[in-house]
């Protein structure tokens, strides 16, 4: 979709004629990617039952032995099976014995050495809890480079709050966008808030973008987006049809 030059000489002679059009088209392509509805959230599916994991993290468990996130249903089914057969507790996925806390830490380090983005992000969380924002940033960055949407969201939070890095609105938005593209509904909701707060009420361009973000987030199960869409519907910023469709999708998520 962008201009391709046949040689360096062609680039030098003609780039100025196409530069503005190329920049405009690049923005359009970026928006096409940004506003595409993800099929699922960033959490993905339970690797056992293949049902999408819920946004509520209390309804799933992360096992350090294999870095798999198991839904509460499969977790409970495994517990019941072990209890009935008087078996030792094991991971529902890889069947390794359930590790102690010290073993969890060692397992996580092994997974990090194997370039596991889930383990890297988890280590970032542990460092953040300790107040070691620099190391949290390092682990989040590595996980994000490997495509972990949650790590992108955590990086956005660090740039927003200035923890371990200088506050940087541009980098915050950059990571929010990458997280949103990866299916992160809360990053998507935050982008909608940014657009709404920066709206020029003479043309409503940013408000329209905010509504798009909130509809996508609502379709992924974000409660806060539904609340804001309800307000938008009340003041006419979103149509009855779009609000009804978002409500149905949110209930089904």
């Amino acid at each position: 979709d962008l201009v391709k030059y046949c040689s360096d000489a062609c680039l030098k002679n003609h780039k100025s004629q196409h530069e503005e059009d190329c920049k405009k088209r690049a923005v359009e392509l970026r928006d096409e990617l940004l506003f595409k509805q993800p099929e699922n959230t960033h959490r993905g599916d339970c690797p056992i039952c293949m049902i999408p994991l819920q946004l509520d993290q209390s309804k799933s468990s992360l096992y350090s032995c294999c870095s798999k996130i198991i839904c509460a249903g499969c977790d409970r089914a495994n517990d019941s099976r072990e209890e009935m057969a008087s078996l030792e507790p094991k991971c529902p996925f890889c069947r390794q014995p359930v590790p102690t806390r010290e073993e969890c830490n060692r397992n996580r380090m092994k997974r990090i050495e194997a370039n596991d983005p889930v383990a890297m992000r988890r280590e970032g969380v542990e460092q953040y809890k300790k107040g070691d924002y620099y190391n949290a940033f390092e682990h989040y960055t590595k996980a994000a480079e490997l495509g972990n949407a949650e790590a992108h969201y955590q990086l956005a939070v660090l740039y927003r709050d200035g923890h371990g890095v200088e506050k940087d609105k541009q980098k915050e938005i950059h990571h929010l966008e990458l997280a949103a593209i990866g299916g992160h509904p809360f990053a998507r909701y935050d982008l909608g808030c940014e657009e709404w707060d920066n709206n020029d009420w003479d043309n409503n361009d940013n408000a329209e973008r905010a509504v798009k973000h909130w509809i996508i987030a609502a379709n992924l199960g974000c409660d806060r987006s539904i609340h804001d869409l309800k307000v938008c519907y009340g003041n006419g910023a979103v149509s009855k049809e779009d609000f009804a469709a978002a409500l149905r999708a949110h209930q089904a998520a």
Side-chain angles (χ1 to χ4, degrees), residues 195 198-209:
E195 294 287 1
N198 293 321
N199 186 49
D200 178 356
W201 295 103
D202 290 332
N203 54 42
N204 279 349
D205 286 347
N206 292 87
E208 292 177 3
R209 291 171 66 87

Side-chain angles (χ1 to χ4, degrees), residues 137-153:
F137 174 80
E138 291 294 312
H139 284 92
Y140 288 151
T141 299
K142 292 176 182 177
E145 289 172 352
L146 292 171
N148 189 279
E150 181 66 29
H152 278 296
Y153 183 68

Side-chain angles (χ1 to χ4, degrees), residues 115-182:
N115 283 333
D116 185 326
V118 175
M120 290 177 182
R121 186 199 65 80
R122 184 61 204 174
E123 181 63 20
V125 171
E126 294 298 324
Q127 296 302 322
Y128 185 91
K129 289 179 179 177
K130 296 176 182 177
D132 188 347
Y133 302 127
Y134 175 79
N135 273 320
F137 174 80
E138 291 294 312
H139 284 92
Y140 288 151
T141 299
K142 292 176 182 177
E145 289 172 352
L146 292 171
N148 189 279
E150 181 66 29
H152 278 296
Y153 183 68
Q154 296 296 342
L155 284 171
V157 172
L158 291 180
Y159 280 115
R160 181 196 67 197
D161 297 338
H163 288 161
V165 292
E166 292 185 9
K167 290 185 179 182
D168 191 316
K169 178 59 71 174
Q170 185 174 356
K171 289 181 179 179
E172 177 193 345
I173 297 299
H174 170 72
H175 286 290
L176 284 177
E177 288 184 347
L178 290 175
I181 290 170

Side-chain angles (χ1 to χ4, degrees), residues 14-16 28 31 50 58 115 131 138 141 175 181-182 186 252:
H14 301 118
K15 181 180 178 181
S16 60
E28 291 174 352
D31 276 358
M50 302 308 295
S58 69
N115 283 333
E138 291 294 312
T141 299
H175 286 290
I181 290 170
F186 304 134

Side-chain angles (χ1 to χ4, degrees), residues 51-116:
I51 294 175
L53 292 164
Q54 296 190 38
L55 293 178
D56 184 351
Q57 295 187 24
S58 69
K59 296 181 179 179
S60 60
S61 301
L62 172 63
Y63 284 81
S64 65
C65 44
C66 53
S67 282
K68 298 298 183 184
I69 302 175
I70 310 300
C71 74
C74 290
D75 214 6
R76 178 57 187 157
N78 183 62
D79 288 345
S80 297
R81 181 187 63 84
E82 291 172 342
E83 184 178 345
M84 291 176 64
S86 299
L87 300 174
E88 291 296 323
K90 291 185 177 181
C91 169
F93 185 79
C94 69
R95 299 303 184 190
Q96 292 295 313
V98 173
T100 64
R101 183 171 182 80
E102 290 183 1
E103 289 171 336
C104 280
N105 293 334
R106 288 198 295 269
N107 287 340
R108 189 165 61 249
M109 293 301 109
K110 289 180 181 178
R111 299 300 303 176
I112 290 173
E113 291 174 3
N115 283 333
D116 185 326

